[in-house]
Every structure is written in structure tokens, then in C-alpha cells.
Amino acid sequence: MSPTGKTLLEVDRLAVEFRTRSGTVRALEDVSLALAEGETVGLVGESGSGKSVLSFAAMGIQDPAARITAGSLRFAGQDLLAGKGAAMKALRGREMAMIFQNPRVALNPIRPVGKQIEDVLARHTDLHPAARRARAVECLAEVRIPDPERRYAAYPFELSGGMCQRVMIAIALACKPRLLIADEPTTGLDVTTQAAIMRLISELSAERRMATLLITHDLGLAREYCDRIAVMHAGHIVEVGPTAGLFAAPRHPYTERLIAATPVGANSLDELAAIDGNLPDLRRDDLPACRFAERCPQRAAVCDAPLALLPAEGSHRVACHLPRKVAHSLERKHVASA
Amino acid sequence: MSHLLEVIGLKRWFGVKKGGETRQLHAVDGIDFHIAPGETVGLVGESGCGKSTLVRLLTRTLDPSDGQVRFRNHDLGLIRAREMALHAQRKDIQMVFQDPTDSLNPRYTARQTIAESVRLLCGLRGAEAAARVEEVADWVGLPQALLDRYPHQLSGGQKARVGIARAIVSRPALLVLDEPTAALDVSVQTVILQLLDRLKRELDMSFLFVSHDLNVVRLLCDRVLVMYLGQVVESGPTDAVFHAPAHPYTRALIASLPGGLAGGQATAADLLVGGDPQSPIDPDPNRCRLLGRCPRGLAPCGETGPVLRDLGEGRQVACLYPAVVQHHVRQ
Ligand SMILES: Nc1ncnc2c1ncn2[C@@H]1O[C@H](COP(=O)(O)OP(=O)(O)OP(=O)(O)O)[C@@H](O)[C@H]1O
Ligand SMILES: Nc1ncnc2c1ncn2[C@@H]1O[C@H](COP(=O)(O)OP(=O)(O)OP(=O)(O)O)[C@@H](O)[C@H]1O
Ligand code: SF4
Ligand SMILES: [Mg+2]
Ligand SMILES: [Mg+2]
């Protein structure tokens, strides 16, 4: 854990909207999050809550229908939104890398995977062309692709889903980025391979002080590898704090229910409780201040008042008018015990 | 007992070039198993061991090199590929693909994608079809507000739910799911798992459920098949296999579960030893494929390829030195 590091990525009060034929989707609202050098922050939360949209915004990859309507994004002190297109692109290409959620689509289908790694090495390192091939094979071995010499020449369609994912990871890490955004990097990998990949990422954060934003639905994984956790729901960050404290005593009712829905340790499907209701329609003009309110069992009149992330304890912050008191939190027997 | 699905000696090899000569990658290498009506079978195994290839063979999106897939006693291999999609038997087998982004038509909204299945598979039209689309979207926890979105306007988990909805509209007898819940948050995952469980109990649907999430397999599946490099190395009732795994690979898999398994017999001593996996290209038939990583392996494992044999109580294992099975007593 290294909260003492210099801040590398700073997201401040960011809002992102999508224009669609049937209205404006308010995908992110008032999102603030900072990552320090060498730090791994887990971004967890509901499917559709805006985790990928946030990463795309940081990487400057945007759907033509998307607009950043408020807030700022800074990397190592530089304003990512103000700079000129080309300069920002170069900065992002050099210092930031992203592992995408859908690996097969992100790879070039008509180029052997080893060559795709070499392309990255050519752009990001001063390796001699002759040394690049050997390094590319090494990169494949590092992400545990068996028989890397031969897989070097394989096309994406010749690889399994998990292998494509590992190639994506190899490409992202080959750039030696200062910031890695990993969107579900290990879903679809068996536990052993998953552990190897996470160890590789941890080593890089320790050695090179790489900062990592780890987006995952696997709370056990987040708990094991992250210094801090941010929880998203419907375009808001609803809770953020050091990992141990957040899992031991979640303050936001959404976080609490998310943790209770984890299947680790449950004895039957009936024991698992899905969270009532759905993600609210993000096109609505009358979205409540707390976007969880309509699903929240403890909603009260005060919940309609404006809301912000406020300190709960130390650096643990929560956006809820009626946060759980530590002593009252439900017993969480299903939590993955790392 | 009559099986719904029966797989006999199924193989799929891929030709790969190595130094000018073509050699064979044994992706699926002689697999036998069956699924009974109303049964949920889990399929687990290392990334690249052949799970998706097997799934594609079952749904005939890929032709086998050898062996048979029989569905309700019909040899699916006899149906011409062109007729497959709409063939009466095939309609009763539906599939949820591993990568939802890859498998959805980018020009169709979620509603159009699901409606197409309703039309083709249920023969419904007009208001009836429209109502069915919304009903199924509800089942999978897909908010109605998202139905008119295109795939690029949906998140990973939202697309995954469209893929599942499309596959269950006709209530197929057999649903094959390749990593269906990996992209879902645990709450939506719970909705889907409880839905599958309900479909099984109420409609006697059968599932082949491919997943890396052993906790999900443990909760959902009646039986489990464990694959390693193209072959089934262990199979049996889920509870028994999880509590007292017999094959060294299964033991390693369960021992590496974060947080462990309460009351399970696999421990840290069962983890795989270092060493790279063997190559799936022209593997030596007289050698166990786990040798080199196996903590129990001995010299004979390099001379005799183990084959699946019965252990009793519906369990099978392919290993010369399996762990002694202490039969697990169900509470
Ligand atoms: N181009 C777009 N047009 C309209 N809405 C969009 C578009 N892209 C994303 N959205 C919406 O924005 C919200 C956030 O999407 P995002 O992909 O960030 O979710 P996520 O948190 O990554 O979810 P998952 O865990 O399922 O991947 C979703 O509700 C999605 O439907
Ligand atoms: N078209 C192809 N040509 C050559 N090899 C292939 C082809 N398709 C699959 N393979 C190989 O077959 C093996 C099994 O792949 P498969 O996709 O079935 O694995 P999987 O068990 O589904 O893995 P994952 O868990 O990573 O999805 C792999 O070694 C893969 O590289
Ligand atoms: S046959 Fe030998 S090498 Fe193979 S799994 Fe059994 S003990 Fe290990
Ligand atoms: Mg996403
Ligand atoms: Mg696969």
C-alpha cells in the first residue's frame, strides 16, 4: 500500500452524457477519483453503472455521441481535456494503457498476435528490431501463454477466449505504462492463470510504481489486490475507501447489498439475495439526487436533498444521507475472506 | 435411462503449421459424456483446454474430426450444416456465446435481436411477439428502457443479458452457456442463476454450463466435468467432486479457490508444481497430459496414458494415482 505516492490520475467532478434518439443518457455525474503512483484502486459496481465509460473518458476514447459536460481529467498535473488533440494522444499512448473488456474485438484480427506485441515495442521502447521478436515471445510467456514461440504466429481466431485476453494484457504491459486501466482483465480466466496475471500486475506496480485502476465484478479479487475500492452505482461513485475498512464495514446500502450477493461461502442459490429493482433509466429528467433511492430499503425524506461524497472515517467516504453505522452493519458471512 | 444429449468419442483437431509441416492441435481429443433431461452439467478447466471448441461442436457451429453428438437419439452429424439453424432438433438446443460483443448484430437493437429469435424459434408475430420480448427481458433483469439500444450503446453486462434472453425465448430443451455470467455484477448474476434454476425445475430444461467461477458451478450444477488439454479427466456429482476431488488437476483447481472451500479435502499440498503445460500439438498418447505439473505424478505416468474409469457413485477419473475418495456424505 502506498497512499503516499504522487497523484497520477485525477478525475474531478466529471460528467459524461450520450445523446441518443430517445433522449440524453446521463452516464456519469459528479465523478471524482484520484490514483497515486504505485497504487491499485478497484472500481466495482453494478453492470451499466459507468465503469467502462469512465475508463474510456480517461483514455480519450469516445463514442461520437458522448460529451463531457463538466469536470476535469488530469494526468501527472496535465489537463487531459484542454491539451491539443495530437499532444494528448501521444501522452496517453506513452504513459497510459488499457486492457479492454472485450479482448477479441480489441485485437487486430488479421495480424499474428506476436507481431501486434512487436508493434507496441517498436513504438514504446528503443529495442533493436532483432531483439523485439524475442521480447514479444517473452511477453507471451509472462502472461502464461503455453508454447509462446508457436503462439507468436497465431491469429486471434486461433486462440481461446482467455488467450486473447492474455495477449491484450501482454500488449498493454509491453508499453511500460505509468497508468494501467484494466477493465475486467481476468474474467474468463481460470483461477490459476488469474493469479499469475495479478501477480504480474502487482510486480509492475511495485517495481515501476505503475498505478492501476482495476475494474472488476469479482469482489474477492478486488479485496485481495487493491489498496482502495471505489463503488459505482448508476453513474455515481457512492462509496470509496481503503479496502479492508470498506469490506469490513460498508457504509452505503448499495455496497452492503453487493457484498451480500457474493456467492463465495453460500450453501445454496436461495441464500443469495439479488438487489431489488434495476438501474434507473438514465435518460430521465427527474432522477433523484441519490440514484439508489428508488431501490433503497431505508429511503427517507432526507434522501431527496442534494448529495455528495462525504467523509465517513479517515479517507473512507460515502454518498448517502443515512449511511450505516459501523455497529449496525449486517453480518456478512458470505464475504470472500482473502 | 434415455439421454437428452450423448457425446461419443468426440474429437476436433486443428491443422497448424510448424516449420513447414502441418501438425495437429488436439483441441478436443476423445470426449464422452451425456446429459439427462432436467440436468445441469458444469464444464470447468484451464483457459485453452478446449471448452469453447467442445461447445461449438455440440451446436454444430464447428464440424468434428471424429465422433458423434446425439440429441434425443438423432445423430446431429447427419443434418446438413445449411439446414442446421432451423432444424427441428437444433431449435431445441440454444447457445449463449462467450463474447457477447462478438455475437450480437451491431445493426440490431436489443429488442430486434430478441424479437428475431421469438419469430424464428417460437413462430410468434405481432403483439404476442412483442409481449414475449418484454417478458423475457424481464426474466433476465434487462430494464425495458434499454431495449431500443444498439450493442455499442450497452455495457458489457447489458449485452450479456441480451445474449441470454435471445437464447431462452423458445425454452429450449438444452441450453449451452459459455461463460454467461463473467460480465455480470454479482447481483445480476444472482438473478440469472436463480432464473436458470427455475427454468430447470419448472420446464425440465437441461444446461451445459461452462464457467471459471467454481463457486457458481458448485451452487448451480448437478454434475461437473473437468477438462484438461482436450480430455475429460474427472466427472461426477458436483458436491462429491468438490469435497473429495480424485484427479490431481481437480484437486489443484479447488485448492486454489480464493478463500478455500469449507470442509473440502483439497489443500495447498495439492497445488500444481511449477513447469509449463504440455503442448496440445500431437500429444503423446502414452503419457498423462498433466505430467510435469502434477504433484502426484510418477514414472509410470509417462508410459501409460490414463483413461477414464469408474469410481462408483457416478464418479469417473482418468489418473493412475487418484486421491482415495472418501465418499462425501450429503447433509
Ligand atoms: N454510446 C452510448 N449511448 C448511450 N448509452 C450508452 C452508450 N455507451 C454506454 N451507455 C450507457 O452508459 C452506461 C454505463 O455504461 P458502461 O459501459 O460504462 O457500464 P459498466 O459499468 O462498464 O458496465 P459492465 O460492468 O456491464 O461493463 C450504461 O447504462 C450504458 O447503457
Ligand atoms: N480455429 C482454430 N485454429 C487453431 N487452433 C484453434 C482454433 N480454435 C481453437 N484453437 C485452439 O484450441 C484450443 C482450445 O481452445 P478453446 O477456445 O476451445 O479453449 P477454452 O477452453 O474455451 O479456453 P478459454 O477458457 O480461454 O475460453 C486452444 O489451444 C486454441 O488455441
Ligand atoms: S496419471 Fe500421474 S501425472 Fe497424470 S494426473 Fe495422475 S498422478 Fe498425475
Ligand atoms: Mg464495462
Ligand atoms: Mg472459451
Side-chain angles (χ1 to χ4, degrees):
Chain A
M1 264 182 228
S2 46
T4 46
K6 241 189 16 247
T7 299
L8 199 58
L9 178 74
E10 212 175 344
V11 182
D12 192 35
R13 312 207 63 172
L14 191 71
V16 175
E17 297 181 352
F18 292 98
R19 268 165 301 181
T20 71
R21 234 178 288 166
S22 57
T24 300
V25 176
R26 295 173 188 83
L28 294 183
E29 189 185 70
D30 201 19
V31 167
S32 301
L33 186 67
L35 256 84
E37 282 181 337
E39 187 185 36
T40 300
V41 174
L43 187 57
V44 305
E46 172 151 60
S47 167
S49 61
K51 303 179 298 294
S52 298
V53 168
L54 174 58
S55 349
F56 286 143
M59 292 299 294
I61 308 168
Q62 234 157 57
D63 190 286
R67 273 180 312 172
I68 293 184
T69 52
S72 68
L73 272 166
R74 307 178 74 81
F75 182 82
Q78 296 186 63
D79 189 340
L80 287 174
L81 299 180
K84 278 211 209 70
M88 278 312 115
K89 216 176 148 206
L91 172 74
R92 284 175 164 131
R94 210 169 46 239
E95 316 261 24
M96 305 163 69
M98 176 157 176
I99 299 168
F100 294 91
Q101 200 172 2
N102 44 354
R104 216 183 280 272
V105 181
L107 292 172
N108 180 343
I110 56 165
R111 194 160 170 75
V113 294
K115 290 265 183 252
Q116 299 191 41
I117 299 181
E118 272 192 42
D119 295 344
V120 171
L121 293 171
R123 279 199 304 274
H124 293 277
T125 66
D126 38 23
L127 279 183
H128 193 269
R132 275 183 221 141
R133 191 197 152 94
R135 177 67 194 127
V137 172
E138 236 173 73
C139 290
L140 289 173
E142 277 172 7
V143 291
R144 302 263 300 235
I145 301 250
D147 220 346
E149 270 293 344
R150 195 176 50 78
R151 300 292 188 180
Y152 173 92
Y155 292 93
F157 80 89
E158 297 176 307
L159 299 180
S160 77
M163 289 173 181
C164 286
Q165 203 159 350
R166 282 176 277 163
V167 169
M168 238 348 274
I169 296 172
I171 289 178
L173 296 179
C175 321
K176 304 203 182 238
R178 287 170 73 195
L179 171 69
L180 174 69
I181 299 183
D183 197 352
E184 298 282 355
T186 63
T187 41
L189 295 181
D190 54 281
V191 269
T192 327
T193 312
Q194 175 173 313
I197 301 281
M198 289 314 300
R199 238 178 286 126
L200 182 64
I201 293 179
S202 309
E203 274 166 31
L204 294 177
S205 18
E207 275 167 32
R208 299 194 212 135
R209 312 276 300 142
M210 176 177 83
T212 308
L213 184 65
L214 176 70
I215 300 174
T216 182
H217 288 304
D218 184 339
L219 299 182
L221 188 84
R223 183 172 195 175
E224 197 166 331
Y225 291 98
C226 297
D227 303 312
R228 285 191 300 134
I229 306 284
V231 184
M232 284 194 82
H233 175 266
H236 288 163
I237 289 186
V238 294
E239 180 159 10
V240 59
T243 305
L246 188 132
F247 275 100
R251 304 306 175 89
H252 198 284
Y254 174 71
T255 315
E256 184 174 41
R257 276 168 181 73
L258 189 69
I259 293 174
T262 306
V264 178
N267 290 311
S268 80
L269 283 179
D270 305 330
E271 273 180 29
L272 300 179
I275 302 169
D276 284 338
N278 274 314
L279 178 77
D281 185 345
L282 299 178
R283 292 170 306 188
R284 276 167 48 189
D285 288 322
D286 60 341
L287 279 169
C290 168
R291 291 181 178 183
F292 189 62
E294 287 157 0
R295 311 169 69 179
C296 184
Q298 60 191 55
R299 180 184 194 175
V302 60
C303 298
D304 297 330
L307 193 60
L309 265 179
L310 294 174
E313 180 183 30
S315 58
H316 192 155
R317 288 182 299 154
V318 62
C320 173
H321 287 291
L322 300 165
R324 288 274 171 184
K325 306 269 188 316
V326 184
H328 288 190
S329 66
L330 297 176
E331 192 191 331
R332 277 166 310 279
K333 55 181 187 228
H334 299 329
V335 181
S337 48
Chain B
M1 187 180 67
S2 79
H3 301 311
L4 182 66
L5 179 83
E6 198 175 1
V7 171
I8 307 162
L10 197 63
K11 291 188 181 170
R12 173 66 208 220
W13 297 359
F14 293 104
V16 291
K17 290 213 180 60
K18 193 167 185 176
E21 54 179 318
T22 301
R23 305 181 53 192
Q24 298 299 324
L25 186 151
H26 296 211
V28 167
D29 205 18
I31 283 190
D32 300 87
F33 71 93
H34 53 83
I35 299 181
E39 193 178 36
T40 301
V41 176
L43 178 61
V44 303
E46 198 158 55
S47 167
C49 71
K51 302 178 298 296
S52 296
T53 306
L54 175 63
V55 158
R56 286 161 67 206
L57 292 169
L58 299 185
T59 50
R60 279 292 306 277
T61 42
L62 193 67
D63 285 326
S65 309
D66 197 12
Q68 263 190 38
V69 178
R70 302 183 70 84
F71 184 71
R72 291 195 179 122
N73 248 338
H74 293 266
D75 183 349
L76 292 187
L78 298 178
I79 303 168
R80 272 183 293 177
R82 201 155 37 84
E83 294 164 11
M84 196 63 194
L86 290 176
H87 192 276
Q89 297 301 335
R90 175 61 175 71
K91 276 186 183 178
D92 253 341
I93 308 179
Q94 289 299 317
M95 162 89 206
V96 178
F97 295 92
Q98 184 168 12
D99 188 338
T101 311
D102 233 6
S103 63
L104 295 179
N105 184 335
R107 280 187 288 273
Y108 278 19
T109 61
R111 189 189 301 280
Q112 286 166 335
T113 295
I114 303 171
E116 190 191 30
S117 284
V118 169
R119 196 176 68 245
L120 291 177
L121 300 173
C122 313
L124 295 180
R125 294 274 184 287
E128 232 182 336
R132 183 60 156 279
V133 171
E134 297 190 356
E135 178 192 17
V136 175
D138 245 16
W139 285 359
V140 297
L142 191 68
Q144 305 284 330
L146 297 178
L147 281 177
D148 293 310
R149 301 253 188 105
Y150 293 92
H152 79 274
Q153 299 175 317
L154 295 171
S155 79
Q158 291 165 348
K159 280 183 285 207
R161 279 173 273 173
V162 176
I164 296 171
R166 159 176 77 178
I168 60 174
V169 287
S170 61
R171 301 169 180 161
L174 175 65
L175 184 61
V176 181
L177 306 107
D178 196 353
E179 290 285 354
T181 61
L184 305 176
D185 67 71
V186 285
S187 171
V188 176
Q189 171 175 287
T190 299
V191 171
I192 300 289
L193 295 177
Q194 289 173 345
L195 167 70
L196 296 181
D197 203 46
R198 209 179 72 218
L199 291 173
K200 165 168 111 178
R201 278 186 277 119
E202 291 173 9
L203 303 173
D204 225 22
M205 263 171 75
S206 301
F207 302 99
L208 181 68
F209 189 86
V210 181
S211 178
H212 286 299
D213 191 332
L214 298 178
N215 277 303
V216 166
V217 169
R218 181 173 64 84
L219 293 175
L220 184 72
C221 301
D222 306 311
R223 262 192 318 128
V224 61
L225 303 170
V226 183
M227 267 181 90
Y228 188 79
L229 277 183
Q231 300 180 325
V232 171
V233 294
E234 178 159 9
S235 73
T238 313
D239 273 358
V241 171
F242 272 68
H243 277 90
H247 195 280
Y249 177 68
T250 317
R251 293 187 79 84
L253 205 60
I254 290 170
S256 57
L257 259 179
L261 177 72
Q265 291 168 18
T267 66
D270 291 306
L271 292 175
L272 294 183
V273 292
D276 282 334
Q278 292 173 33
S279 167
I281 297 175
D282 293 334
D284 181 349
N286 295 317
R287 181 185 160 89
C288 172
R289 294 181 187 184
L290 190 62
L291 192 60
R293 301 172 85 188
C294 179
R296 305 171 82 93
L298 296 169
C301 307
E303 288 151 22
T304 319
V307 290
L308 269 188
R309 60 195 167 88
D310 280 324
L311 287 180
E313 314 235 321
R315 299 188 59 175
Q316 293 185 305
V317 68
C319 170
L320 300 185
Y321 305 106
V324 180
V325 170
Q326 296 142 24
H327 283 300
H328 163 67
V329 186
R330 248 174 187 262
Q331 292 93 340

